[in-house]
Amino acid sequence: MLLTTIYLIAIIAEAMSGAIMAMRRGMDLFGICLIGTITALGGGTIRDILLNHYPIGWVKHPEYLLYTTLAAIATTFTVRHLHHLRYLFLVVDGLGLVAFTIIGCNIGLAGGLHFSIAIIAGMVTGVFGGLLRDLLCHQMPLVLQKEIYAMVSLAAGAAYVAMLQLGIGAGTASVAALAGGVLFRMLAIHYRWQLPSFKNADYRGFD
Amino acid sequence: MLLTTIYLIAIIAEAMSGAIMAMRRGMDLFGICLIGTITALGGGTIRDILLNHYPIGWVKHPEYLLYTTLAAIATTFTVRHLHHLRYLFLVVDGLGLVAFTIIGCNIGLAGGLHFSIAIIAGMVTGVFGGLLRDLLCHQMPLVLQKEIYAMVSLAAGAAYVAMLQLGIGAGTASVAALAGGVLFRMLAIHYRWQLPSFKNADYRGFD
Amino acid sequence: MLLTTIYLIAIIAEAMSGAIMAMRRGMDLFGICLIGTITALGGGTIRDILLNHYPIGWVKHPEYLLYTTLAAIATTFTVRHLHHLRYLFLVVDGLGLVAFTIIGCNIGLAGGLHFSIAIIAGMVTGVFGGLLRDLLCHQMPLVLQKEIYAMVSLAAGAAYVAMLQLGIGAGTASVAALAGGVLFRMLAIHYRWQLPSFKNADYRGFD
């Protein structure tokens, strides 16, 4: 119930973030709606394909496509005012990341899969929509380069699955993972935490 | 019958258009054949994966791979003459777009899916081959930026599905959608119709 | 048995090659592990999706994800020494290409598919991991441009399937395909064999 509410708010926020990137890249209204929709629903789609979990969410619930399309269109009218909502977007994006993750973990566990695959399913749900957005917008995937983003998903997913294993109820585990995950994400943004990268290592012989 | 004929002509034309883009990007003969084949058959492949509609078309009909590969190879010999056929290509591409769309809608409807998903299945069939081509050729997807292309597919698909709902026979509906869709596409090219885009909007706060 | 051993060595080598490319592109540790894993396991994943062959390899064997992740992490510590192993990498990569191909062919044949689709399944297994790596690392897919790479996979797969058709045992056919394929690949590298490309053809009318 809580998860579904957060999920619906999150796909709208993700669709708006996809739409903004598509607008900046000069895409037309169709491209804006498509990128918005793929940003919001692409992670769950890839998860369902990888896990053979059919029908895919938006095939079963076509209204999701309506929500993301309307959110993308609304973004074209309101973009000049959205910067006032910048911090709200960050919180909703963080909440959405963890909600997507928990939903993905649940689908993996319901399929009887190994707990590690359930955590991966959560991460794919949370992260791969943005990956597809960046691919289609023709830029290096942000999530692979900067910011603690995927790690939040992996940590929240691992904590959630571990709590379930320990016999904690799904409701309590969800709320705890959401709170912990969003806190982790906000701290990561605030303190600019980064994973190490190695651009200037010595690559002699690999040209 | 008519649809199958148009389909076969269209996958050859799409393979040739993919091959030309691959040639221009400096790809080798393998790359040219692969890009040609993915341009022609990629949209239907993605549709089948999304709808869990197996076996995928070219797995069932391996001869399609032969046609697209031969078309790509033939393109390398004839490219210097193909510009004489420029207008023919535009018409065949428009016909193919609508034929792909109708075939996709039919598969969605045959699967008992919501009419909106059937229309999406048609658009994916018509448009996503070109999207994959642009991704693999490392350029911003054209269909997301310029030209009324995907909208032709959505309009033709919606009209086709609506005609079926109204009790019009599949044959009549197909011919009407083909005629209307190709006319729409040709008018869009001739008059350079475009959907709005928003590159220069005010993005303060989203850097 | 031999195939499984080569497979495990090959996914580690592929993960290391993916990790090196990700490091050079400035990705963070998560990106490095993800690109390494996708390079190693992406070809088989796409093959399984195309053939409706579930569960996908790494869903059934989550330990593969552990191997590729550890290999990627190890690469970040050792990259400055890896150039000493340059030739070993080339041999392992060639062996892996053919082992992936044979495994893919076997899965296609076991599914009762047309022999041409089995050969395609082999090529997808061998080549598409590197294709995904290049897409996500935002560079033109190398395999579409230069080097006889995919052709080695197609030739080894075709020879392997033909030997089986002729009644030769799977073990013998595998060893012969491995030996012939790796020799082909080494000769192609040594003599810089290339397929023709057509970058400077006359494209008038296709602007």
Side-chain angles (χ1 to χ4, degrees):
Chain A
M1 188 60 189
L2 176 71
L3 267 184
T4 308
T5 311
I6 295 175
Y7 178 78
L8 290 176
I9 296 170
I11 62 174
I12 287 168
E14 295 300 313
M16 294 177 82
S17 92
I20 290 173
M21 188 180 289
M23 288 168 70
R24 299 188 73 158
R25 306 289 297 188
M27 291 190 186
D28 67 15
L29 194 57
F30 172 78
I32 292 164
C33 292
L34 187 72
I35 298 293
T37 298
I38 288 178
T39 306
L41 303 176
T45 300
I46 293 183
R47 175 206 63 219
D48 286 343
I49 292 170
L50 292 174
L51 300 187
N52 197 21
H53 178 260
Y54 289 98
I56 290 173
W58 52 266
V59 172
K60 202 169 165 188
H61 295 286
E63 67 271 22
Y64 293 174
L65 300 173
L66 188 67
Y67 303 157
T68 57
T69 303
L70 291 178
I73 293 172
T75 305
T76 65
F77 290 109
T78 56
V79 68
R80 103 182 55 90
H81 307 297
L82 290 179
H83 64 101
H84 296 301
L85 305 173
R86 206 154 70 240
Y87 294 104
L88 181 62
F89 263 99
L90 283 178
V91 175
V92 172
D93 178 66
L95 271 171
L97 174 65
V98 185
F100 280 28
T101 299
I102 294 173
I103 291 169
C105 290
N106 283 337
I107 289 176
L109 293 171
L113 301 173
H114 190 264
F115 76 91
S116 64
I117 300 297
I119 296 168
I120 299 287
M123 186 272 287
V124 168
T125 314
V127 170
F128 275 48
L131 211 69
L132 284 178
R133 175 198 64 206
D134 292 347
L135 267 185
L136 288 167
C137 287
H138 208 241
Q139 58 176 46
M140 274 280 283
L142 200 65
V143 68
L144 303 180
Q145 285 178 91
K146 272 187 274 188
E147 306 185 27
I148 302 282
Y149 193 82
M151 291 310 292
V152 171
S153 174
L154 286 171
Y160 175 73
V161 170
M163 284 187 276
L164 294 188
Q165 302 283 80
L166 294 170
I168 296 171
T172 313
S174 298
V175 172
L178 277 166
V182 172
L183 182 67
F184 182 10
R185 175 78 181 127
M186 293 303 123
L187 290 172
I189 293 172
H190 187 77
Y191 293 105
R192 297 170 194 271
W193 289 342
Q194 299 211 348
L195 289 173
S197 64
F198 308 85
K199 194 160 189 174
N200 300 313
D202 173 2
Y203 297 106
R204 260 175 311 149
F206 291 97
D207 299 309
Chain B
M1 188 61 189
L2 176 69
L3 268 186
T4 309
T5 311
I6 295 175
Y7 178 77
L8 291 175
I9 295 171
I11 61 174
I12 289 169
E14 294 301 314
M16 294 177 81
S17 92
I20 289 174
M21 188 180 288
M23 288 168 69
R24 299 187 74 157
R25 306 288 297 189
M27 292 190 184
D28 68 14
L29 195 56
F30 172 78
I32 293 164
C33 292
L34 187 72
I35 297 294
T37 297
I38 288 178
T39 306
L41 303 176
T45 300
I46 292 183
R47 175 205 62 218
D48 285 345
I49 292 170
L50 292 173
L51 300 188
N52 197 20
H53 178 259
Y54 288 99
I56 289 173
W58 52 267
V59 172
K60 201 169 166 187
H61 296 286
E63 67 271 21
Y64 293 173
L65 299 173
L66 187 67
Y67 303 157
T68 56
T69 303
L70 291 178
I73 293 172
T75 305
T76 65
F77 291 109
T78 56
V79 67
R80 103 181 55 88
H81 307 297
L82 290 179
H83 65 100
H84 297 301
L85 304 173
R86 205 155 70 242
Y87 294 104
L88 181 61
F89 263 99
L90 283 179
V91 175
V92 171
D93 178 65
L95 271 171
L97 174 64
V98 184
F100 281 28
T101 299
I102 294 173
I103 291 169
C105 290
N106 282 337
I107 289 176
L109 293 172
L113 302 173
H114 190 263
F115 76 92
S116 63
I117 300 297
I119 296 168
I120 299 287
M123 186 272 287
V124 168
T125 315
V127 170
F128 274 48
L131 212 68
L132 285 177
R133 175 199 64 206
D134 292 347
L135 267 186
L136 289 167
C137 287
H138 208 243
Q139 58 175 45
M140 274 281 282
L142 200 64
V143 69
L144 303 180
Q145 285 179 89
K146 271 188 273 187
E147 304 184 28
I148 301 283
Y149 193 83
M151 290 310 291
V152 171
S153 174
L154 286 172
Y160 175 72
V161 170
M163 285 186 276
L164 294 188
Q165 302 283 76
L166 293 170
I168 295 171
T172 313
S174 298
V175 171
L178 278 165
V182 172
L183 182 67
F184 183 10
R185 175 78 182 127
M186 292 302 123
L187 290 171
I189 293 173
H190 188 76
Y191 292 105
R192 298 168 193 273
W193 289 342
Q194 299 209 350
L195 288 173
S197 65
F198 307 86
K199 193 159 189 175
N200 299 315
D202 173 2
Y203 296 106
R204 260 175 311 150
F206 292 97
D207 298 308
Chain C
M1 188 61 190
L2 176 70
L3 268 185
T4 308
T5 312
I6 294 176
Y7 177 78
L8 290 175
I9 295 170
I11 62 173
I12 288 168
E14 295 300 314
M16 295 177 81
S17 92
I20 290 173
M21 189 179 288
M23 289 169 68
R24 300 188 72 159
R25 305 290 297 190
M27 292 190 184
D28 68 15
L29 195 57
F30 172 78
I32 293 164
C33 292
L34 186 73
I35 299 292
T37 297
I38 288 178
T39 307
L41 303 176
T45 300
I46 293 183
R47 174 206 63 218
D48 286 344
I49 292 170
L50 292 173
L51 300 188
N52 197 20
H53 177 260
Y54 288 99
I56 289 174
W58 52 267
V59 173
K60 202 169 165 186
H61 296 286
E63 68 271 21
Y64 293 173
L65 300 173
L66 188 67
Y67 303 156
T68 57
T69 302
L70 291 178
I73 293 171
T75 305
T76 65
F77 291 108
T78 55
V79 68
R80 100 182 58 89
H81 308 295
L82 289 179
H83 65 101
H84 296 300
L85 305 173
R86 206 154 71 241
Y87 294 104
L88 181 61
F89 263 99
L90 283 178
V91 175
V92 172
D93 178 67
L95 271 170
L97 174 64
V98 185
F100 281 27
T101 300
I102 294 173
I103 291 168
C105 290
N106 282 337
I107 289 176
L109 293 172
L113 301 174
H114 190 264
F115 76 91
S116 63
I117 299 297
I119 296 168
I120 299 287
M123 185 272 287
V124 168
T125 314
V127 170
F128 274 48
L131 212 67
L132 285 177
R133 175 198 64 208
D134 293 347
L135 267 186
L136 289 167
C137 287
H138 208 242
Q139 59 175 47
M140 274 280 283
L142 200 66
V143 69
L144 303 180
Q145 285 179 90
K146 273 189 272 190
E147 305 184 28
I148 301 283
Y149 193 83
M151 291 309 293
V152 171
S153 173
L154 286 171
Y160 175 72
V161 170
M163 283 187 278
L164 294 187
Q165 301 283 79
L166 293 169
I168 295 171
T172 313
S174 298
V175 173
L178 278 167
V182 172
L183 182 67
F184 182 11
R185 175 78 182 126
M186 294 301 124
L187 290 171
I189 292 172
H190 188 76
Y191 292 106
R192 297 168 195 273
W193 288 341
Q194 299 210 349
L195 289 174
S197 64
F198 308 86
K199 193 158 188 174
N200 300 313
D202 172 2
Y203 296 106
R204 258 176 311 149
F206 291 96
D207 298 309

